[in-house]
Amino acid sequence: MKKILPLVLCAALTFGSCDDDDELFYVPNSIEAAFSAKYPNQTVKEWEKDGRYYKAEFHKNGTEAEAWFNANGQWVKTATDFFGDLPTAVSSYLDAHYPGYRVEEIDWVEMPQLNCFKIELEKGDHEIDLYITADGMVIEIGDDDAPHYQIPAAVLNQFAADFPGIVRMEWEKEGPYYKAEFVKDNKECEAWYTAEGKWVKTETDFKGQLPQAVTDYLQATYPGFRIEDTNFVEVPGDRYYEIELEKGDSEWILTIHEDGSLIEVVPDHD
């Protein structure tokens, strides 16, 4: 038999539930005060414990909303149901990257460092949560096959400083680094950053004429080899070409400076 807690006790302690089937928790006064300061004259419908955060469910301008606060009473984010038309930059991104997916739900998410849309997409058994700003910058992606990851504000700020005017990019988590894929001057580029926002390197797809010194080296050292792909790589304090060579079953990746001085040659196992 279920034990029924007195209604007065539930109200006084602001428990998330009055049912033994759910975990009971207490919302500290500091958390409630933080909510009231953030949203004066708003009434919380229900509090929930969401991991290490306290989540308040309420109505904001007549629309359902949820606000998260940490244990110190700091506001983390607010998600509000969104029913309007998405900005053109967002719609274009969805059309280009997720054709055939159905939009299940949209939230407008406000955070201290930025605001963005959270879009739940579905195609068959595949579901994706996409966080994207109004101007089309991808912040976070999570799906059934890969874990969620969030781009630190330090990374976003440094990218914006390094590549002003670039607002369309796709982020990936690659080992300890965050990698942005984007187009600059009609060239495909990739830039890597540490979690602290330190730039690691940039690779730019290269389709032009290689420097004569590089061409001379290739002709003398790798006669008969075909160039499969070339990237121009920039790292702190250096810049060079990364060239993929192929001849029959022999494949190599060569890195070389503009003056023809070789950095290294390694077999291409891909």
Side-chain angles (χ1 to χ4, degrees):
M1 178 182 293
K2 293 182 180 179
K3 294 183 292 183
I4 306 299
L5 293 177
L7 182 60
V8 174
L9 178 61
C10 290
L13 298 184
T14 323
F15 283 118
S17 172
C18 292
D19 193 326
D20 274 349
D21 295 335
D22 294 323
E23 181 183 357
L24 302 180
F25 66 94
Y26 170 70
V27 180
N29 292 334
S30 59
I31 305 296
E32 293 186 318
F35 176 86
S36 297
K38 180 69 176 176
Y39 297 106
N41 304 319
Q42 298 288 349
T43 301
V44 177
K45 292 173 51 183
E46 184 179 7
W47 283 99
E48 292 184 7
K49 194 73 165 60
D50 190 357
R52 55 196 176 97
Y53 299 110
Y54 294 87
K55 182 178 72 172
E57 297 181 1
F58 65 107
H59 280 87
K60 181 182 177 185
N61 299 324
T63 305
E64 291 187 359
E66 298 174 333
W68 284 257
F69 296 84
N70 64 22
N72 297 321
Q74 295 174 316
W75 172 69
V76 177
K77 69 176 180 178
T78 298
T80 306
D81 286 348
F82 182 86
F83 299 104
D85 294 329
L86 288 169
T88 300
V90 177
S91 298
S92 298
Y93 181 89
L94 294 178
D95 292 341
H97 293 83
Y98 297 101
Y101 279 78
R102 184 175 76 255
V103 175
E104 285 287 293
E105 186 176 342
I106 303 175
D107 288 333
W108 175 244
V109 181
E110 300 167 274
M111 295 179 284
Q113 67 271 32
L114 53 80
N115 302 327
C116 64
F117 292 98
K118 176 191 175 186
I119 304 175
E120 297 181 16
L121 301 168
E122 182 178 302
K123 183 178 182 181
D125 295 331
H126 193 206
E127 298 179 358
I128 292 175
D129 288 342
L130 174 70
Y131 289 78
I132 183 171
T133 63
D135 55 12
M137 182 173 69
V138 175
I139 304 301
E140 180 181 347
I141 299 174
D143 58 31
D144 296 335
D145 303 319
H148 285 263
Y149 57 87
Q150 185 167 352
I151 312 303
V155 174
L156 296 174
N157 292 337
Q158 189 59 52
F159 179 87
D162 293 342
F163 302 98
I166 302 295
V167 297
R168 298 292 304 279
M169 79 287 296
E170 186 166 348
W171 288 95
E172 293 183 10
K173 187 74 164 58
E174 192 171 275
Y177 303 114
Y178 294 88
K179 182 180 73 172
E181 299 179 1
F182 58 101
V183 175
K184 180 183 178 184
D185 299 329
N186 296 319
K187 298 176 183 178
E188 294 183 359
C189 304
E190 297 178 338
W192 284 258
Y193 293 86
T194 67
E196 295 74 29
K198 182 180 179 181
W199 171 68
V200 177
K201 72 172 178 177
T202 300
E203 291 187 2
T204 303
D205 191 32
F206 184 83
K207 301 296 185 184
Q209 181 68 39
L210 288 168
Q212 190 61 48
V214 175
T215 300
D216 291 344
Y217 179 90
L218 294 177
Q219 291 176 346
T221 312
Y222 294 95
F225 276 77
R226 179 165 53 90
I227 295 177
E228 281 288 291
D229 191 26
T230 303
N231 287 320
F232 186 66
V233 182
E234 298 170 276
V235 297
D238 202 4
R239 46 196 289 166
Y240 52 85
Y241 292 94
E242 183 180 86
I243 304 172
E244 297 181 16
L245 300 172
E246 180 181 305
K247 183 180 181 181
D249 294 332
S250 181
E251 298 181 5
W252 299 88
I253 298 178
L254 178 146
T255 51
I256 187 171
H257 286 122
E258 294 175 285
D259 62 2
S261 58
L262 181 67
I263 300 174
E264 69 172 351
V265 179
V266 296
D268 186 359
H269 297 299
D270 292 342

